[in-house]
Amino acid sequence: MERKITKVLNYNVDLFNFNEAKEFIKDKLDKSEGMQIVTINPEIIEMASKNYEYSNIIQNAGLIVPDGTGIKLALKLKGINQEKIPGIDIAKSVIGICTEKNLPIALVGAKEQIVEKAVENIKKEYPSLNISYARNGYFNDNEEDEIINRIKESNARFVLIALGAPKQEFFIKKCMAKINNAIFIGVGGAFDVWSGQVQRAPEIYRKLGFEWLYRTIKQPQRIKRIYKTLPLFLIRAIIESRKSV
Ligand code: UDP
């Protein structure tokens, strides 16, 4: 399957719809090819623009899905109607594929009780799924090699890393230097949701593109993150779209 890449503020974004993205990943799983999936959003672009190494990781990912309203709006300004692909949803469907294909998965991230509960709930939903490795996301740099070895030995073919951005993408890069047949995805707060600890926005908010508003009301500490990046991101996206007319 050919990728359809466009740029948002000079950053690559894949223009697959949800099902195409799923098929693309399935194909990689079938071929035992490794890759990193990045769920791009305005915050990630902002961080990448300030950090060359991070920017390299983001730009060179095997699949870059538009996760959220900010990127969707920026694409709309370019005349592109793009479906949002939330990382948590695409990760969930790949877990489904791994269950069908009997491929082991690994989970690294979040607090101990959270990751344990997330594993428990995922197993309830997919009883035949093989979760070959799971651990919390609180470790020191000197423990990283050991953790990467454990992921490798577990033969996991789909590895979910929930450390938040940019930490998870940097860790995935290190993993990929040693593991070449697994698909890695950074899933931010997904384990918090799967554990039942954090509630996801109701469907209506998600459909209307207001998931960010719901999350901000529930976790007001997020307001700083949004207000620091979103307005400037949108202004830049508008300027960029005017230039290309
Ligand atoms: N986290 C972690 N180790 C760390 C820092 C964060 O495992 O050193 C986890 C944290 O417990 C949470 C997730 O990373 O589960 C970050 O979630 P957040 O909602 O901030 O991610 P976002 O999706 O907003 O990037």
Side-chain angles (χ1 to χ4, degrees):
M1 230 170 141
E2 281 293 308
R3 294 177 71 187
K4 298 177 268 184
I5 297 175
T6 191
K7 300 255 182 202
V8 168
L9 300 182
N10 290 322
Y11 284 84
N12 294 332
V13 182
D14 280 281
L15 293 182
F16 288 140
N17 65 29
F18 193 90
N19 271 330
E20 288 168 336
K22 204 172 140 186
E23 285 305 312
F24 183 79
I25 298 166
K26 204 178 193 175
D27 191 48
K28 296 273 171 196
L29 282 170
D30 286 339
K31 293 179 181 151
S32 298
E33 283 176 20
M35 72 165 171
Q36 171 165 19
I37 304 171
V38 164
T39 59
I40 202 161
N41 61 31
E43 284 175 345
I44 288 185
I45 291 185
E46 167 81 10
M47 290 187 263
S49 69
K50 291 182 180 149
N51 182 326
Y52 182 70
E53 201 192 338
Y54 192 52
S55 156
N56 254 332
I57 295 176
I58 300 306
Q59 295 283 54
N60 293 316
L63 180 65
I64 306 158
V65 297
D67 178 2
T69 305
I71 302 288
K72 190 182 152 102
L73 279 175
L75 287 168
K76 184 101 188 160
L77 286 165
K78 290 183 67 166
I80 301 170
N81 262 325
Q82 168 66 36
E83 183 180 0
K84 264 187 300 187
I85 305 190
I88 187 168
D89 294 332
I90 197 81
K92 197 67 177 289
S93 23
V94 178
I95 291 177
I97 296 173
C98 291
T99 310
E100 280 165 27
K101 294 185 180 288
N102 211 7
L103 300 173
I105 74 162
L107 278 73
V108 175
K111 297 187 180 127
E112 183 58 28
Q113 301 94 304
I114 297 277
V115 65
E116 277 173 18
K117 190 80 191 151
V119 165
E120 195 184 310
N121 289 341
I122 295 169
K123 276 188 177 155
K124 264 188 217 149
E125 197 171 339
Y126 303 96
S128 64
L129 175 70
N130 176 2
I131 301 180
S132 57
Y133 181 64
R135 68 148 290 145
N136 68 63
Y138 293 85
F139 46 82
N140 301 322
D141 290 357
N142 60 12
E143 294 173 90
E144 283 183 346
D145 281 340
E146 163 76 14
I147 295 168
I148 295 169
N149 285 336
R150 297 287 297 275
I151 298 171
K152 192 179 166 104
E153 284 161 12
S154 81
N155 274 322
R157 299 280 309 287
F158 184 49
V159 185
L160 298 95
I161 308 287
L163 304 174
K167 213 172 180 176
Q168 57 197 17
E169 284 77 28
F170 281 116
F171 183 64
I172 290 173
K173 179 162 188 215
K174 287 188 189 156
C175 293
M176 288 188 62
K178 288 197 185 161
I179 304 170
N180 57 23
N181 66 347
I183 294 180
F184 291 86
I185 183 168
V187 287
F191 299 175
D192 301 79
V193 174
W194 292 337
S195 71
Q197 184 77 16
V198 169
Q199 240 74 96
R200 243 188 127 183
E203 180 89 22
I204 184 79
Y205 280 79
R206 284 188 255 154
K207 275 224 174 99
L208 296 175
F210 286 108
E211 183 155 13
W212 58 272
L213 181 63
Y214 183 88
R215 289 176 89 182
T216 312
I217 296 166
K218 290 275 171 180
Q219 297 167 276
Q221 68 276 18
R222 280 181 175 273
I223 201 148
K224 223 164 90 202
R225 282 165 54 168
I226 293 183
Y227 140 95
K228 265 170 69 188
T229 55
L230 202 59
L232 199 56
F233 171 83
L234 289 175
I235 290 167
R236 287 194 179 126
I238 291 168
I239 295 169
E240 190 187 65
S241 69
R242 292 282 157 88
K243 271 197 228 147
S244 58
V245 173

